[in-house]
Every structure is written in C-alpha cells, then in structure tokens.
C-alpha cells in the first residue's frame, strides 16, 4: 500500500505507549494496532483529529504517501 502509517514513530517521539493512546482515544488496543500496521482500510477524520491532538502533531506526521 502506498500509504505508510508512522504512528509508531510519533508514539516513540512522545514517549507514549499504544495502550495509553488507545485509552485516550476510547478505542481498543486491537483497533489501534490495525491502524498502526497499515491494515486499516480507512480512518475517520475525527479519529485522526483526536490522534493529532493527543500527540500534538499534524496528519502528515502520521500518514505518508510513497510510490510503490
């Protein structure tokens, strides 16, 4: 997939664990893991907004487009 999810990078920069982010987002750790591994088919804008707010980042810090 040409969209790369860099959520692990932002979590490491913010010294936050996935479990903590999932709790703050109100989603299960399994659903967050699906997003982190790039297996999600999409992401809701309100979820993306909440992630950016919690991690104090921009959507481009989390999602990256690359040519195959």
């Amino acid at each position: 997939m040409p969209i790369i999810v860099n959520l692990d990078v932002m979590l490491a920069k913010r010294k936050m664990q996935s479990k903590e982010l999932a709790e703050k987002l109100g989603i299960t750790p399994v659903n967050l893991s699906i997003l982190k591994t790039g297996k999600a088919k999409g992401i809701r804008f309100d979820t993306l907004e909440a992630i950016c707010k919690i991690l104090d980042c921009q959507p481009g810090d989390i999602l990256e487009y690359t040519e195959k």
Side-chain angles (χ1 to χ4, degrees):
M1 176 182 268
I3 301 293
I4 298 171
V5 180
N6 293 316
L7 192 51
D8 278 338
V9 174
M10 288 308 301
L11 284 168
K13 286 182 178 179
R14 301 299 187 250
K15 296 180 172 73
M16 184 182 291
Q17 300 220 355
S18 296
K19 183 180 176 184
E20 182 182 351
L21 179 60
E23 288 173 2
K24 289 183 178 190
L25 288 171
I27 64 174
T28 66
V30 173
N31 283 340
L32 184 61
S33 177
I34 290 169
L35 177 60
K36 282 178 23 180
T37 58
K39 294 180 181 174
K41 297 290 181 192
I43 183 171
R44 294 173 53 117
F45 282 135
D46 59 342
T47 303
L48 182 59
E49 179 183 355
I51 290 170
C52 290
K53 186 174 185 176
I54 292 166
L55 295 178
D56 188 29
C57 66
Q58 295 295 313
D61 296 328
I62 298 169
L63 302 174
E64 177 183 347
Y65 172 77
T66 62
E67 299 272 340
K68 271 194 159 182

